Amino acid sequence: RETPAPTSSPSFSPSVSPSESPVAQTLSAVVCGGSNACRNDAMMVDPRESHEVRCCSDAVKEGWAKNNNCDVWAASKVPSCFHGEDLASAEEICRLEDARLCTAEEIYNQCTKGSGCGHDSDLIWSSFSITVEPPPVAPAHFIACGASNKPCAGTTEIALNEEYHDVRCCSDTFIEAWNKRSGCDIWSDSEVPTCFHKETFVVAKSICAASGARLCTTAELLSDCSRGTGCSHDNDMLWSSTPV
């Protein structure tokens, strides 16, 4: 019996061989150090990138700054100014000072502001990291307006997953300090743990997952169930979990 000739166009061309599995990617947050040019900015970046270093301590350290309404002491001269270190180096710099990287919340809440080296205008390393989830099947998702009392009210648009948009998260169960509006059955927040204004769909989804939450649906966004949760996102077009 003759063996059939192979087809000219194989019906299946896997991008990853059956023995392989997608490699999980870790991203870490750099957060604006103060209220200057980069105010409210934060980005999830590759830990190998170079950014500024600022350290925090839960105990009193001589010469370090403790701002009002904050529980940490912060410094940027550790022992000198560092303007271009990767995450591992930043962590080691703080460790050698018997300190740690500041959390994204501490930086966002300006608990490290004014601690030197001009870092109030910089995006500095924080301790917040995420594991990026595998890409979704749908190549695009809807983005929707954050509130019904803003110029974008009622608006939805189609966005490719690689585009950059703002992030707001929702949860079907209680999360402390998150907001639950009357008539809604979800909790939501925009400070997760800081404000994110420019993230792709996969990164936005992973940011929410790191808080034990998910992206809001278009229905939840348009019905104001996430309205008023911070970061001025009521004015923004936000990623939703609703595929196109």
Side-chain angles (χ1 to χ4, degrees):
R1 179 188 297 180
E2 294 183 0
T3 302
T7 60
S8 58
S9 300
S11 58
F12 175 62
S13 299
S15 57
V16 179
S17 68
S19 61
E20 296 177 348
S21 58
V23 177
Q25 182 185 15
T26 298
L27 298 177
S28 298
V30 289
V31 184
C32 181
S35 57
N36 296 336
C38 64
R39 184 177 183 181
N40 287 339
D41 277 353
M43 296 175 62
M44 299 304 303
V45 301
D46 190 307
R48 294 169 294 184
E49 287 190 12
S50 296
H51 291 280
E52 282 75 13
V53 182
R54 189 168 265 179
C55 303
C56 282
S57 171
D58 299 303
V60 178
K61 292 184 75 67
E62 185 177 354
W64 288 38
K66 182 179 183 296
N67 292 342
N68 292 335
N69 302 314
C70 296
D71 297 323
V72 297
W73 285 257
S76 299
K77 291 186 177 180
V78 283
S80 59
C81 300
F82 292 93
H83 295 277
E85 302 294 331
D86 62 20
L87 178 64
S89 297
E91 290 173 333
E92 179 65 8
I93 287 166
C94 292
R95 187 191 70 79
L96 292 173
E97 292 292 314
D98 195 24
R100 57 172 173 78
L101 286 179
C102 307
T103 67
E105 296 98 322
E106 290 164 348
I107 303 170
Y108 175 73
N109 291 327
Q110 300 192 6
C111 287
T112 71
K113 181 181 177 181
S115 59
C117 297
H119 289 341
D120 287 359
S121 298
D122 297 325
L123 290 170
I124 59 179
W125 284 116
S126 78
S127 61
F128 179 67
S129 295
I130 62 171
T131 299
V132 178
E133 298 185 354
V137 175
H141 289 75
F142 286 100
I143 54 175
C145 183
S148 65
N149 63 344
K150 300 298 179 182
C152 63
T155 303
T156 61
E157 297 177 1
I158 293 174
L160 296 176
N161 294 342
E162 294 76 22
E163 293 182 19
Y164 293 90
H165 295 286
D166 303 78
V167 183
R168 179 174 278 176
C169 303
C170 285
S171 174
D172 299 305
T173 57
F174 170 80
I175 296 180
E176 187 175 357
W178 285 36
N179 187 57
K180 183 178 184 294
R181 293 178 63 88
S182 176
C184 299
D185 56 6
I186 59 158
W187 288 258
S188 60
D189 200 6
S190 298
E191 296 176 12
V192 284
T194 185
C195 301
F196 292 99
H197 297 278
K198 297 173 289 187
E199 300 298 343
T200 65
F201 174 82
V202 173
V203 172
K205 184 170 181 269
S206 301
I207 287 170
C208 293
S211 293
R214 57 174 174 77
L215 287 172
C216 308
T217 65
T218 52
E220 290 163 346
L221 293 170
L222 296 178
S223 63
D224 278 347
C225 283
S226 69
R227 174 178 164 181
T229 55
C231 298
S232 298
H233 283 341
D234 286 358
N235 296 287
D236 298 326
M237 297 294 288
L238 307 166
W239 278 117
S240 82
S241 61
T242 307
V244 174

